[in-house]
Amino acid sequence: MEPVRVLELYSGVGGMHHALRESCIPAQVVAAIDVNTVANEVYKYNFPHTQLLAKTIEGITLEEFDRLSFDMILMSPPCQPFTRDLLIQTIENCGFQYQEFLLSPTSLGIPNSRLRYFLIAKLQSEPLPFQAPGQVLMEFPKIESVHPQKYAMDVEKKIQEKNIEPNISFDSSMQCSGKDAILFKLETAEEIHRKNQQDSDLSVKMLKDFLEDDTDMNQYLLPSKSLLRYALLLDIVQPTCRRSVCFTKGYGSYIEGTGSVLQTAEDVQVENVYKSLTNLSQEQQITKLLMLKLRYFTPKEIANLLGFPPEFGFPEKITVKQRYRLLGNSLNVHVVAKLIKILYESF
């Protein structure tokens, strides 16, 4: 069988291309298209022999598309509220059968919550073999019920309800009763129980399997100013944890809702540190928080959690901030590889 000719739209740093390789189907990317010049530099660095077009899709004529003679389109378009309905309407009008998915890497044993919408479609009259007529949503066997951003949104709600600044502030007015009682760090017993359940799920790997051990980590330590201002908002994980929240493009520059931070002092109890902060001066609070040795995940570690292969890399001139931004817009390679294989096997 001839290799499948693949067109990659909104190619970014090449997550779809890496997923195509991981799927092991016979395929060739005939062209990749993206307008982001920084992303294109990274793509070319990793796929130097693939034709890369720096233009918008609207700027490509029908004749140019026809000359590419592709069999499959892979794309990760920008998030738009109207994209899904427009896409569904178009593919239905064109006679495609399709399947929608809500999937997170945790379904594949990866300790990173990144719930995403995916769609696969095939030009044929019969329904896809794994889809019963009338059903439009499907999941892998296991998927978490908590949205990746839920933790950050819950914290934001608590802060607004209690009229407090994000700076550290612990006093009796922050306490309430029942399941919503705040134990420490604005977390309730229910939330801590949920995290403990995630960490005890042996089907998910530990974070330590995705960490670097040969890099100078000093540049990734959280500065004292950030610790003091945002201590209540941090989602703190340890190398032995089996969870982390979704990393966004603002990671490394912003704290709130952008991703987990890693506690490297594993012999220090987070709960003890936070409960000891009451009535301390700011300098004393910082001293306590520094005991946790909190740092950002490195871009390479985030790429590992996203399923990029060990050989994936960045040109040296791409800054750490740019790397975070590019990875924050990316997807999970392992999840997409599964979907590509499912689609190919239905041919």
Side-chain angles (χ1 to χ4, degrees), residues 4-56:
V4 177
R5 294 176 60 85
V6 178
L7 174 63
E8 189 179 9
L9 304 180
Y10 306 100
S11 50
V13 297
M16 287 286 186
H17 198 150
H18 284 292
L20 185 67
R21 284 187 173 181
E22 184 178 314
S23 72
C24 295
I25 73 169
Q28 173 196 0
V29 177
V30 295
I33 300 174
D34 202 298
V35 295
N36 187 321
T37 55
V38 180
N40 285 345
E41 289 185 40
V42 178
Y43 190 101
K44 200 66 178 176
Y45 181 80
N46 290 277
F47 301 107
H49 304 298
T50 299
Q51 179 182 192
L52 181 59
L53 306 176
K55 55 173 63 179
T56 64

Side-chain angles (χ1 to χ4, degrees), residues 166-283:
N167 297 66
I168 299 171
S169 176
F170 289 85
D171 56 51
S172 58
S173 65
M174 293 177 61
Q175 303 301 318
C176 52
S177 60
K179 69 177 183 179
D180 293 326
I182 293 174
L183 302 185
F184 71 97
K185 206 168 74 62
L186 292 186
E187 292 185 339
T188 65
E190 184 178 24
E191 290 164 343
I192 293 174
H193 176 67
R194 171 177 58 80
K195 291 183 177 182
N196 289 338
Q197 281 187 315
Q198 290 176 306
D199 286 334
S200 63
D201 185 351
L202 299 183
S203 69
V204 178
K205 295 180 180 178
M206 291 184 179
L207 286 169
K208 65 181 181 181
D209 295 334
F210 301 83
L211 302 180
E212 293 187 271
D213 54 11
D214 57 351
T215 300
D216 179 13
M217 296 300 176
N218 288 331
Q219 64 173 313
Y220 298 105
L221 291 172
L222 269 68
S224 298
K225 183 179 179 180
S226 297
L227 286 174
L228 187 63
R229 181 167 177 78
Y230 297 106
L232 298 177
L233 305 180
L234 297 173
D235 180 59
I236 300 173
V237 294
Q238 296 180 349
T240 54
C241 288
R242 301 177 188 272
R243 63 171 191 86
S244 60
V245 297
C246 179
F247 297 99
T248 73
K249 66 180 182 180
Y251 192 70
S253 299
Y254 303 98
I255 296 290
E256 188 174 351
T258 61
S260 302
V261 296
L262 188 69
Q263 176 191 341
T264 57
E266 297 182 70
D267 57 337
V268 180
Q269 293 295 320
V270 175
E271 181 176 354
N272 292 341
V273 168
Y274 273 81
K275 287 186 174 181
S276 69
L277 297 175
T278 307
N279 300 323
L280 295 181
S281 67
Q282 289 189 352
E283 291 75 15

Side-chain angles (χ1 to χ4, degrees), residues 105-133:
T106 52
S107 303
L108 299 179
I110 301 165
N112 181 236
S113 297
R114 197 178 183 84
L115 188 63
R116 291 291 184 266
Y117 168 87
F118 298 92
L119 181 145
I120 61 176
K122 177 185 173 184
L123 185 59
Q124 63 179 30
S125 57
E126 303 83 12
L128 294 172
F130 49 87
Q131 174 60 52

